[in-house]
């Protein structure tokens, strides 16, 4: 039997709907500072929210952020928040959702395809994910 160690995977559109409809839903972008600065970030202003930015792995060394859960809690995330984790393509955010779940968050989700999606046949990103679906985002 396969045990899911977080609440599951949702599409970027489902993530947006949760953020829009649940006042307690929080979006956590767990990419690196460099990605936030150079690629862009989800923009929740239109629904009166702000994205929480916490690196899962640190830039530039790529070391896991040992303070991730502490920073999540310091950002005001509590056990009863619906917490939606997004990274570049939906891999790092699985680890983030698992860590939050292990710390007591009852509803932690991973966004499939992340902000930019996986690599296509030409090794390019951007065909899938939050940005490709034209969900609100901005350049830093």
């Amino acid at each position: 039997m396969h045990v899911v160690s977080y609440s599951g995977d949702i599409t970027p559109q489902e993530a947006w709907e949760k953020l829009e409809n649940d006042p307690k839903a929080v979006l956590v972008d767990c990419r690196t500072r460099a990605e936030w600065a150079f690629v862009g970030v989800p923009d929740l202003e239109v629904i009166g929210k702000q994205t929480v930015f916490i690196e899962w792995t640190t830039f530039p060394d790529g070391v896991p952020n040992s303070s991730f859960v502490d920073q999540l809690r310091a950002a005001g995330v509590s056990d009863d928040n619906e917490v939606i984790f997004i990274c570049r393509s939906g891999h790092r955010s699985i680890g983030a959702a698992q860590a939050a779940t292990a710390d007591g968050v009852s509803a932690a989700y991973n966004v499939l395809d992340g902000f930019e999606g996986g690599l296509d046949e030409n090794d390019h990103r951007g065909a899938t994910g939050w940005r490709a679906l034209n969900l609100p985002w901005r350049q830093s």
Side-chain angles (χ1 to χ4, degrees):
M1 184 174 131
H2 177 70
V3 178
V4 176
S5 53
Y6 57 99
S7 297
D9 301 321
I10 57 176
T11 66
Q13 189 61 48
E14 289 168 329
W16 178 256
E17 289 165 11
K18 282 183 180 296
L19 290 161
E20 204 171 26
N21 297 318
D22 180 354
K24 288 186 153 197
V26 177
L27 181 66
V28 178
D29 188 330
C30 60
R31 294 175 299 154
T32 64
R33 289 189 318 266
E35 289 169 294
W36 302 328
F38 297 111
V39 179
V41 296
D43 186 354
L44 307 182
E45 242 178 67
V46 69
I47 56 172
K49 293 186 176 184
Q50 291 190 346
T51 304
V52 174
F53 297 99
I54 307 170
E55 291 180 306
W56 178 246
T57 54
T58 59
F59 179 82
D61 52 16
V63 172
N65 178 1
S66 60
S67 300
F68 183 81
V69 171
D70 292 337
Q71 291 171 355
L72 189 65
R73 296 307 191 174
V77 172
S78 65
D79 290 352
D80 63 345
N81 285 113
E82 265 195 314
V83 188
I84 300 162
F85 294 94
I86 190 167
C87 66
R88 180 181 60 207
S89 60
H91 294 290
R92 282 172 285 176
S93 45
I94 290 172
Q98 290 170 332
T101 300
D103 197 62
V105 172
S106 57
Y109 297 92
N110 168 55
V111 176
L112 291 168
D113 295 323
F115 190 72
E116 295 181 83
L119 295 171
D120 65 16
E121 64 278 0
N122 298 313
D123 292 334
H124 296 155
R125 294 186 192 280
T128 60
W130 183 280
R131 212 168 60 173
L133 290 172
N134 260 345
L135 291 168
W137 69 282
R138 64 180 165 77
Q139 208 73 49
S140 295

